[in-house]
Amino acid sequence: MDMLTGTQITEAALTDWRKLGQGLHARYVVDDFASGARFVSAVAQAGDAAGHHPRVTMGDAYVDLVLVSDDAVHRDADGIEHVVEWVTEQDVDLARRISELAPDHGARPDPAAVTTVELALDTAHADAVSPVWAALLTGSTDARGRGTIGDDVRDATRRVPILWFQDTDEHDTPRQRFHLDVWVAPEVAEERIAAAVAAGGVVVDDSQAPSFTVIADPDGNKACVCTSLRAASEG
């Protein structure tokens, strides 16, 4: 299926779900592990019917779900098709079905609680360094470029966060090369930024907010608080 645009995902109005990174994320609060397991069983049946399943993480009081298609179609500027990991209509449809099932199992959505973290490495040589990091993080180079048109390292079993490469100019002076992209629901981005500032952080650059805001700790180490919304400067 074709990958959906950010606008199409927003217009789907998935109240329980938030687009973070490449996928749709939801957290459901449950009373105990057993009720969470029953909810997951119902989700599994819905997935069987749809021929598509979410990734599931659960604990005593929560069930976390991620929906992403590993065969989404991206067309580049030249019209060439690429298969990537992204949200498609089948993810949106299954998300709606899961939202319908949740009340019957006492599963209460908590979209403000969803978070995902990606690693970003600043480099002018992504093609050279990406195989090394793929091997270090996953044990082989197969994860390099998986589900993306770039050099991202994406482990098929999600043992480690996605590592992507920020293109930079050549430079000799040592500086921070790694930074974290912390994806949150749009409605809690300001709260998360404020919490970081209250803890001693500094807003370095908010020119691209609410798409992303750069925060630095007292030592100058930077991270980005990211949302699915476009930068205000883009209209």
Side-chain angles (χ1 to χ4, degrees):
M1 293 185 179
D2 287 351
M3 61 184 289
L4 298 182
T5 66
T7 298
Q8 288 173 316
I9 296 169
T10 299
E11 290 176 348
L14 302 172
T15 56
D16 293 2
W17 300 75
R18 295 295 180 270
K19 166 69 165 51
L20 308 183
Q22 293 73 37
L24 298 175
H25 293 244
R27 165 162 286 195
Y28 288 92
V29 178
V30 293
D31 292 333
D32 50 41
F33 194 87
S35 60
R38 288 190 291 271
F39 174 48
V40 169
S41 179
V43 169
Q45 293 178 40
D48 288 345
H52 185 52
H53 298 91
R55 301 201 303 268
V56 180
T57 305
M58 62 179 297
D60 288 340
Y62 67 90
V63 174
D64 287 345
L65 303 172
V66 182
L67 281 167
V68 62
S69 296
D70 59 11
D71 57 354
V73 175
H74 164 72
R75 293 179 180 81
D76 64 23
D78 297 321
I80 299 173
E81 294 187 354
H82 305 269
V83 177
V84 298
E85 291 181 338
W86 200 259
V87 177
T88 66
E89 193 64 42
Q90 69 177 351
D91 299 301
V92 170
D93 291 343
L94 186 53
R96 288 198 178 103
R97 179 58 184 145
I98 292 171
S99 294
E100 293 172 354
L101 292 170
D104 294 337
H105 297 272
R108 303 171 296 281
D110 187 9
V114 296
T115 302
T116 191
V117 173
E118 296 180 357
L119 301 175
L121 176 58
D122 295 341
T123 178
H125 309 288
D127 57 341
V129 304
S130 56
V132 177
W133 285 101
L136 283 171
L137 293 173
T138 72
S140 80
T141 59
D142 292 345
R144 178 199 182 199
R146 181 187 174 279
T148 173
I149 61 174
D151 292 299
D152 299 13
V153 176
R154 301 187 185 182
D155 179 34
T157 59
R158 274 72 179 188
R159 292 168 294 174
V160 295
I162 288 173
L163 169 62
W164 65 278
F165 301 93
Q166 175 73 59
D167 186 40
T168 61
D169 295 330
E170 294 279 4
H171 56 82
D172 297 323
T173 304
R175 67 181 188 187
Q176 181 187 354
R177 300 274 187 122
F178 269 110
H179 72 268
L180 296 180
D181 282 349
V182 182
W183 286 84
V184 299
E187 64 266 32
V188 299
E190 290 187 9
E191 178 182 345
R192 186 67 61 92
I193 293 166
V197 170
V202 176
V203 175
V204 175
D205 184 359
D206 61 0
S207 63
Q208 299 302 308
S211 177
F212 66 89
T213 299
V214 183
I215 306 291
D217 69 13
D219 280 347
N221 299 304
K222 299 182 181 69
C224 295
V225 177
C226 305
T227 79
S228 61
L229 301 181
R230 298 174 63 177
S233 60
E234 298 180 14

